Amino acid sequence: MTINRRGFLGISGAAIAVSAVAPGLRLIELAEGRAPDQAVTPKQRWGLLIDAAKCADGCTACIDACHEENGVTGNNRPATDPQWIRKVTVEDNTTGFRQSFPVMCQHCEHPPCVDVCPTGASFKRADGIVLVDKHTCIGCRYCMMACPYKARSFIHEVTTGQKTHAPRGKGTVESCTLCVHKVDRGDNTTACAVACKKEGHEAILFGDLNDPGSEIRKRLKQKPSTQLRPDLKLTPGVRYQGV
């Protein structure tokens, strides 16, 4: 996917389907607490910091790790490939400078996907993670149209190889969950961040944006960063440096 830089930063954002989700843990249940005695609170604001200068062109380690972690088998047709995370390449028309970096659900503080959802299937946890409850999603795809980052996908085909922590079902919408299952068990990282570090790039950093002592807050304080489409005032939980 190649677009010019101005075009990328200017990106803007149905038939009802019947959901068929395999048995397993519901995302709405995950949202209710990290453990029976430890509820999710706004004390944390989980997010990602992506350094485009460290992102290697042509590397798909983050995408591969995300698909493996969440049971996205990749057996969809090319036109309907899931967009949990994707690499985009932007180019400066005046200089020809090109760079690539990953884009996923931005986990907005004011998510438009939640605003337009007629059933409440799209929701935001107290800690800022935006999710889709597959047992409530009716597949109307309003959230896909509302998302200015094109971060959501519709499942057109029967899914296989599902993970209990990431239920997927034909006729529903899905997107990056910020590895909510890993967050809730205390891993303090995401599959994409782990894979990027393993490749030696370390372009993706996960952490608590509310914690002044966290590594992500320290790096944000040291160098300027940007949001994608700051004009929309959505306050994403994903920040970018070097873009």
Side-chain angles (χ1 to χ4, degrees), residues 33 37 49 54 61 66 95 99 103 107 119 124 126 136 160 162-163 177 187-188 202 212-213 228 234:
D37 61 345
L49 174 60
K54 296 180 179 179
C66 174
T95 65
Q99 61 183 165
V103 176
H107 297 279
T119 67
K124 186 186 74 168
T136 310
T160 58
Q162 294 190 51
K163 306 293 182 69
T177 66
D187 289 5
N188 294 318
E202 299 192 51
L228 300 183
L234 301 177

Side-chain angles (χ1 to χ4, degrees), residues 27-159:
L27 286 181
I28 189 70
E29 291 161 353
L30 283 172
E32 290 173 351
R34 296 177 58 177
D37 61 345
Q38 187 177 11
V40 172
T41 73
K43 180 180 179 180
Q44 288 87 24
R45 172 76 196 281
W46 301 112
L48 295 171
L49 174 60
I50 298 173
D51 190 339
K54 296 180 179 179
C55 184
D57 188 22
C59 176
T60 61
C62 59
I63 299 172
D64 297 339
C66 174
H67 286 188
E68 175 63 28
E69 181 73 24
N70 294 291
V72 180
T73 59
N75 59 353
N76 301 72
R77 296 184 302 273
T80 59
D81 277 348
Q83 298 290 299
W84 286 52
I85 181 173
R86 69 191 191 278
K87 289 285 291 288
V88 301
T89 300
V90 296
E91 180 176 349
D92 188 319
N93 288 335
T94 59
T95 65
F97 176 74
R98 293 163 58 92
Q99 61 183 165
S100 65
F101 47 84
V103 176
M104 66 291 287
C105 173
Q106 300 291 291
H107 297 279
C108 305
E109 182 178 357
H110 310 290
C113 57
V114 173
D115 290 341
V116 302
C117 181
T119 67
S122 291
F123 65 98
K124 186 186 74 168
R125 299 192 347 162
D127 57 6
I129 299 178
V130 177
L131 299 170
V132 180
D133 178 8
K134 301 305 184 64
H135 295 264
T136 310
C137 176
I138 58 175
C140 67
R141 288 170 269 188
Y142 290 159
C143 61
M144 293 179 64
M145 292 182 280
C147 177
Y149 308 109
K150 298 183 179 180
R152 291 196 163 188
S153 305
F154 183 76
I155 305 177
H156 291 265
E157 301 172 352
V158 175
T159 59

